[in-house]
Amino acid sequence: MDFQRVFLFLLLFISEVCFPQGEANFWYFGQNAGLNFNSGSPVVINDGALVTEEGCSVISNPFGELLFYTDGRTIYDRNHQIMPNGTGLLGHLSSTQSYIIIPKPGSSSIYYVFTVPYFGTGSLSYSEVDLDMNGGFGDVNEVKNVILGGNICEKLTAVRNAQGNGFWIITHGVTGLTSDTGDSFFSYSITAEGVNPNPVVSKVGVEVEGLLYRTMGYLKVSPSGKKIIAANFGLVTESFDFNRQTGKLTNPKIISYNHSSYGVEFSLSGDVVYLTTGQAGDRDELHQYDLTANDIPSTKKILYSDVGGVEMAALQMAPDFKIYVAMTGTNFL
């Protein structure tokens, strides 16, 4: 297996508590790579059909049984076959967080598949998977590639709302030739009534210009759902307070001035954050910061450093509460 520049973005990080059940027990990513956490420890699996450089998403049921997975362009069912109507989605194999799967509140069979573009060149969109179709293996129904907003970064995350009856999908705009939204976050509400196409807009934090790599970098929510961190490649990494009642982001704080920060993960308490930095041919490092400090950048600890070696990319906490790091071009995490 060849684990490429991989992003393990899994459903259970939209919950108030990490991994209360088994929905994130299967991981498929990279070049046909996979892990199964149903035993409590990661077991290598190599039956996946996924081949992707970055964004991907997997969803299982509460019992840890695989349902489907995607790279943002193609959806594969639990038998690793392409779903009917499951191609041509608007994500990209080299988009940081190309894709996220959200269950429709109040439904036992409908799942929303949200996608974001590559280098800020397209729109946030969503499609519906109905697991009652195709003999229970799922089908993308007539709701496909519904556009919500254009000119956005490669950032996409989600969090459960304060009422517990829905979710917020959160992304970030880009300033370019046809857009001036690079200073704004967009929060879309999802309830049993569906996806609200009118986002809550938060003009906060640094402006992201549509200069290719500046659209890259992770957007992550803390386990409590009250904090959000945005790694803006070529700019800075910032934290924000998130209001799960209103969908608003406030109180920006600089975490790191490193212009090559990319992967992000919170500790289980939400008080510590980890960043991967660097790019091909440069020094690649893993940093730790204390989010409770008054001067967060000054708390930096370098946990790993390598010059001219493999590129560090994704960070993801697993059901075993360990944080795994993807290393470009290697066959290990």
Side-chain angles (χ1 to χ4, degrees), residues 154-171:
E154 298 182 6
K155 293 175 168 56
L156 181 63
T157 192
V159 62
R160 196 174 298 276
N161 66 17
Q163 296 86 349
N165 63 355
F167 306 93
W168 293 102
I169 287 285
I170 307 155
T171 187

Side-chain angles (χ1 to χ4, degrees), residues 104-105 112 114 126 128 166-167 188-197:
K104 182 177 182 179
Y112 294 118
F114 290 87
Y126 72 93
E128 286 187 6
F167 306 93
Y188 291 86
S189 175
I190 305 170
T191 64
E193 297 178 356
V195 180
N196 187 336

Side-chain angles (χ1 to χ4, degrees), residues 106-154:
S107 174
S108 61
S109 63
I110 300 295
Y111 289 79
Y112 294 118
V113 178
F114 290 87
T115 63
V116 292
Y118 169 69
F119 280 167
T121 56
S123 306
L124 172 66
S125 64
Y126 72 93
S127 304
E128 286 187 6
V129 169
D130 188 343
L131 290 181
D132 282 344
M133 301 174 68
N134 189 30
F137 288 95
D139 194 339
V140 178
N141 62 27
E142 69 279 2
V143 180
K144 183 177 180 181
N145 290 336
V146 178
I147 302 297
L148 289 175
N151 298 106
I152 58 171
C153 292
E154 298 182 6

Side-chain angles (χ1 to χ4, degrees), residues 44-323:
V44 173
I45 49 178
N46 55 18
D47 56 357
L50 196 72
V51 177
T52 184
E53 294 178 10
E54 299 190 47
C56 51
S57 189
V58 188
I59 181 66
S60 300
N61 66 21
F63 303 102
E65 298 167 336
L66 178 66
L67 296 178
F68 64 95
Y69 57 99
T70 182
D71 60 2
R73 302 177 304 167
T74 302
I75 301 176
Y76 300 92
D77 66 23
R78 65 179 184 270
N79 279 345
H80 315 291
Q81 302 298 308
I82 296 175
M83 276 190 185
N85 201 29
T87 60
L89 274 69
L90 300 181
H92 194 280
L93 61 83
S94 189
S95 175
T96 302
Q97 292 170 285
S98 178
Y99 188 47
I100 188 171
I101 303 166
I102 303 292
K104 182 177 182 179
S107 174
S108 61
S109 63
I110 300 295
Y111 289 79
Y112 294 118
V113 178
F114 290 87
T115 63
V116 292
Y118 169 69
F119 280 167
T121 56
S123 306
L124 172 66
S125 64
Y126 72 93
S127 304
E128 286 187 6
V129 169
D130 188 343
L131 290 181
D132 282 344
M133 301 174 68
N134 189 30
F137 288 95
D139 194 339
V140 178
N141 62 27
E142 69 279 2
V143 180
K144 183 177 180 181
N145 290 336
V146 178
I147 302 297
L148 289 175
N151 298 106
I152 58 171
C153 292
E154 298 182 6
K155 293 175 168 56
L156 181 63
T157 192
V159 62
R160 196 174 298 276
N161 66 17
Q163 296 86 349
N165 63 355
F167 306 93
W168 293 102
I169 287 285
I170 307 155
T171 187
H172 195 283
V174 171
T175 293
L177 295 177
T178 61
S179 172
D180 61 354
T181 62
D183 61 350
S184 300
F185 287 90
F186 300 95
S187 302
Y188 291 86
S189 175
I190 305 170
T191 64
E193 297 178 356
V195 180
N196 187 336
N198 301 307
V200 174
V201 180
S202 302
K203 290 183 178 291
V204 63
V206 298
E207 181 176 13
V208 178
E209 298 175 333
L211 300 175
L212 299 181
Y213 292 103
R214 288 192 177 180
T215 65
M216 294 165 37
Y218 255 96
L219 187 66
K220 275 290 184 82
V221 181
S222 68
S224 69
K226 297 179 180 180
K227 295 283 186 181
I228 287 180
I229 289 179
N232 300 297
F233 197 89
L235 296 168
V236 296
T237 298
E238 296 179 297
S239 72
F240 305 88
D241 293 338
F242 184 73
N243 187 320
R244 296 188 299 122
Q245 180 78 35
T246 65
K248 277 284 192 179
L249 288 85
T250 56
N251 192 26
K253 294 182 179 179
I254 300 291
I255 293 176
S256 171
Y257 293 96
N258 188 300
H259 285 185
S260 62
S261 295
Y262 189 65
V264 175
E265 188 56 282
F266 284 91
S267 66
L268 194 60
S269 69
D271 292 337
V272 176
V273 68
Y274 301 90
L275 304 178
T276 58
T277 70
Q279 51 191 312
D282 292 339
R283 181 182 295 275
D284 295 284
E285 294 185 339
L286 176 63
H287 294 174
Q288 173 185 296
Y289 295 89
D290 181 356
L291 297 181
T292 66
N294 292 327
D295 182 6
I296 298 174
S298 70
T299 69
K300 180 178 76 173
K301 294 181 180 179
I302 300 176
L303 305 183
Y304 170 91
S305 182
D306 181 41
V307 179
V310 294
E311 181 183 352
M312 303 187 74
L315 292 168
Q316 182 68 57
M317 185 177 287
D320 61 0
F321 302 112
K322 296 179 181 180
I323 296 174

